[in-house]
């Protein structure tokens, strides 16, 4: 199922790209989806704006690793340090600014922001309020939904993984 | 928590996402635009942070260091399974020490603040300037991109990208040489 048999070995010569899956504690697996929200994403994916698609995962990224990191690190930090570290983790042009690779990874960034945020111990409403503030008080509803999707996955006890789908190639 | 204390807490939290990263971004493009600024002696640091490097600067840097661009592109594609966003200050421990040193020295040859990215389809970007407050917020970026024949360009070709930050959301490309382009991306 995974490219080269590994969820973190993501270069697939068959032209399949990884997308997020969530496995719930009872073994149920589902694929969170997002809407293509702008012309840049649409052009990269070769579909129309508004199309429902899986959430594409960038190269070398394992979604669950980031959740595990924040689940371990978050509760151990004091209020100030936790917010400071989390803010810098999601800094622009940093190692987790996935949309600089390709605009279609914007959805993954939002999903993972929600997932890592609740794993670190932040309230979902606070995470959404921050995202709204960054967007001048009102976030795009698609971004809000992707963040909520990541929050829900972790609150439901889900484990994040990837599956291969015919991506933008 | 009282309403007043909650207000203070929310202000503090937002400052981590908006004020601090904005400072990081202001520095990120500084050396990328030094050539442009050297010809505009009245420019201030704040001006440099606000403006993207002009096309002529990127064209000059690309042609002066083309072999370095090519080598870094090859390296990024080879190392895609280890890392997808490379910069001098953020190189994976899973890369060999020799590889880390080569990335550092070659990136510095182009610009000490350039960020290198690679995608599954072989698209490689050299990002010279990013504007935005957070990785989960709106943002704009400009740089040089290698786009393989089989990759989707993501946007139209234009003759000049110096005014691209006024064009709205999207990706815009200006041919540079072969499969190399100057690109500008803005997303909500």
């Amino acid at each position: 199922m995974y490219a080269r048999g590994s969820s973190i070995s993501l270069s697939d010569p068959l032209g399949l790209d990884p997308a997020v899956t969530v496995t719930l504690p009872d073994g149920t697996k589902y694929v969170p989806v997002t809407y293509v929200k702008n012309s840049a994403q649409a052009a990269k994916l070769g579909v129309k704006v508004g199309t429902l698609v899986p959430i594409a995962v960038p190269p070398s990224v394992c979604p669950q690793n980031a959740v595990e990191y924040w689940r371990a690190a978050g509760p151990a930090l004091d209020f100030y340090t936790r917010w400071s570290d989390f803010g810098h983790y999601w800094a622009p042009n940093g190692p987790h600014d996935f949309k600089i690779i390709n605009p279609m990874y914007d959805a993954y960034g939002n999903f993972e922001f929600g997932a890592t945020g609740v794993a670190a111990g932040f309230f979902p409403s606070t995470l959404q309020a921050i995202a709204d503030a960054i967007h001048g008080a009102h976030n795009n509803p698609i971004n809000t939904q992707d963040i909520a999707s990541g929050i829900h996955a972790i609150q439901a006890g889900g484990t994040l993984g990837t599956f291969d789908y015919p991506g933008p190639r | 928590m009282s309403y007043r204390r909650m207000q203070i807490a929310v202000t503090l939290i937002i400052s981590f996402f908006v004020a601090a990263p904005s400072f990081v971004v202001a520095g990120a493009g500084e050396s990328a635009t030094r050539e442009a600024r050297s010809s505009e002696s009245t420019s201030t640091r704040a001006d440099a942070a606000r403006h993207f490097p002009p096309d002529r600067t990127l064209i000059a840097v690309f042609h002066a260091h083309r072999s370095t661009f090519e080598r870094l592109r090859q390296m990024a594609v080879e190392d895609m399974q280890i890392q997808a966003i490379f910069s001098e200050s953020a190189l994976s421990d899973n890369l060999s020490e020799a590889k880390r040193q080569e990335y550092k020295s070659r990136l510095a040859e182009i610009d000490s603040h350039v960020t290198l990215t690679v995608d599954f389809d072989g698209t490689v970007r050299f990002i010279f300037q990013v504007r935005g407050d957070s990785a989960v917020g709106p943002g704009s970026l400009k740089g040089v991109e290698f786009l393989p024949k089989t990759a989707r360009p993501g946007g139209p070709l234009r003759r000049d990208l110096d005014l691209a930050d006024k064009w709205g959301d999207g990706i815009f490309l200006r041919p540079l040489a072969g499969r190399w382009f100057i690109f500008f991306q803005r997303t909500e």
Side-chain angles (χ1 to χ4, degrees), chain A residues 20-95:
Chain A
V20 176
T21 60
V22 180
T23 305
L24 298 174
D26 67 1
T28 309
K29 187 177 269 192
Y30 70 92
V31 176
V33 290
T34 185
Y35 288 98
V36 174
K37 70 174 179 181
N38 55 43
S39 61
Q41 289 182 341
K44 277 290 186 186
L45 285 162
V47 297
K48 291 181 178 173
V49 173
T51 305
L52 203 57
V53 292
I55 296 174
V57 178
S60 82
V61 171
C62 176
Q64 185 65 19
N65 281 357
V67 170
E68 295 301 338
Y69 170 79
W70 279 105
R71 186 174 278 151
L77 300 172
D78 62 62
F79 176 86
Y80 181 89
T81 310
R82 187 158 45 124
W83 271 114
S84 175
D85 287 2
F86 195 65
H88 282 94
Y89 185 88
W90 292 105
N93 202 27

Side-chain angles (χ1 to χ4, degrees), chain A residues 1-17:
Chain A
M1 190 71 177
Y2 294 124
R4 296 182 184 169
S6 165
S7 64
I8 56 170
S9 176
L10 301 175
S11 180
D12 191 327
L14 299 178
L16 301 176
D17 289 329

Side-chain angles (χ1 to χ4, degrees), chain A residues 4 10 90 102 105 130 168, chain B residues 13 81 119-120 125 135 152:
Chain A
R4 296 182 184 169
L10 301 175
W90 292 105
N102 182 328
Y105 297 132
I130 292 295
Chain B
I13 288 163
Q81 292 176 46
D119 202 0
F120 290 114
R125 287 177 160 184
R152 291 196 175 95

Side-chain angles (χ1 to χ4, degrees), chain B residues 66-85:
Chain B
R66 179 158 183 175
S67 61
T68 306
F69 277 86
E70 292 281 6
R71 173 60 185 152
L72 281 167
R73 182 189 70 77
Q74 290 169 6
M75 290 168 64
V77 170
E78 286 168 14
D79 295 329
M80 188 194 307
Q81 292 176 46
I82 298 173
Q83 191 167 357
I85 302 176

Side-chain angles (χ1 to χ4, degrees), chain B residues 155-174:
Chain B
L157 293 177
R158 293 286 162 86
R159 293 172 63 181
D160 190 322
L161 301 186
D162 283 344
L163 296 177
D165 58 342
K166 302 184 189 327
W167 293 344
D169 282 5
I171 296 175
F172 305 97
L173 300 165
R174 173 179 174 169

Side-chain angles (χ1 to χ4, degrees), chain B:
Chain B
M1 185 184 284
S2 70
Y3 180 70
R4 177 66 183 153
R5 288 187 66 187
M6 190 177 289
Q7 272 190 318
I8 294 169
V10 168
T11 304
L12 186 64
I13 288 163
I14 290 172
S15 72
F16 289 135
F17 280 84
V18 178
S22 291
F23 176 76
V24 172
V25 173
E30 187 183 3
S31 67
T33 55
R34 63 177 169 244
E35 185 181 328
R37 284 190 296 144
S38 69
S39 63
E40 298 163 8
S41 58
T42 55
S43 293
T44 63
R45 179 188 171 89
D47 288 336
R50 278 200 299 273
H51 296 114
F52 288 100
D55 291 3
R56 67 174 186 277
T57 299
L58 297 180
I59 292 166
V61 170
F62 176 77
H63 287 298
H65 302 283
R66 179 158 183 175
S67 61
T68 306
F69 277 86
E70 292 281 6
R71 173 60 185 152
L72 281 167
R73 182 189 70 77
Q74 290 169 6
M75 290 168 64
V77 170
E78 286 168 14
D79 295 329
M80 188 194 307
Q81 292 176 46
I82 298 173
Q83 191 167 357
I85 302 176
F86 306 77
S87 66
E88 257 194 273
S89 58
L91 291 168
S92 171
D93 292 339
N94 294 327
L95 294 167
S96 68
E97 185 56 30
K99 232 6 176 351
R100 288 161 57 87
Q101 286 307 321
E102 186 172 1
Y103 273 112
K104 281 184 187 177
S105 62
R106 290 190 183 271
L107 285 169
E109 249 180 75
I110 294 173
D111 186 291
S112 59
H113 291 99
V114 78
T115 300
L116 171 64
T117 71
V118 60
D119 202 0
F120 290 114
D121 61 6
T123 299
V124 173
R125 287 177 160 184
F126 294 80
I127 299 164
F128 284 73
Q129 178 87 333
V130 174
R131 275 165 44 182
D133 292 327
S134 167
V136 291
S140 309
L141 48 145
K142 186 173 183 180
V144 172
E145 176 175 277
F146 178 85
L147 196 63
K149 272 186 183 171
T150 51
R152 291 196 175 95
L157 293 177
R158 293 286 162 86
R159 293 172 63 181
D160 190 322
L161 301 186
D162 283 344
L163 296 177
D165 58 342
K166 302 184 189 327
W167 293 344
D169 282 5
I171 296 175
F172 305 97
L173 300 165
R174 173 179 174 169
L176 195 49
R179 298 304 303 170
W180 290 92
F181 299 84
I182 298 174
F183 79 94
F184 182 91
Q185 174 183 309
R186 185 159 99 176
T187 53
E188 181 183 343

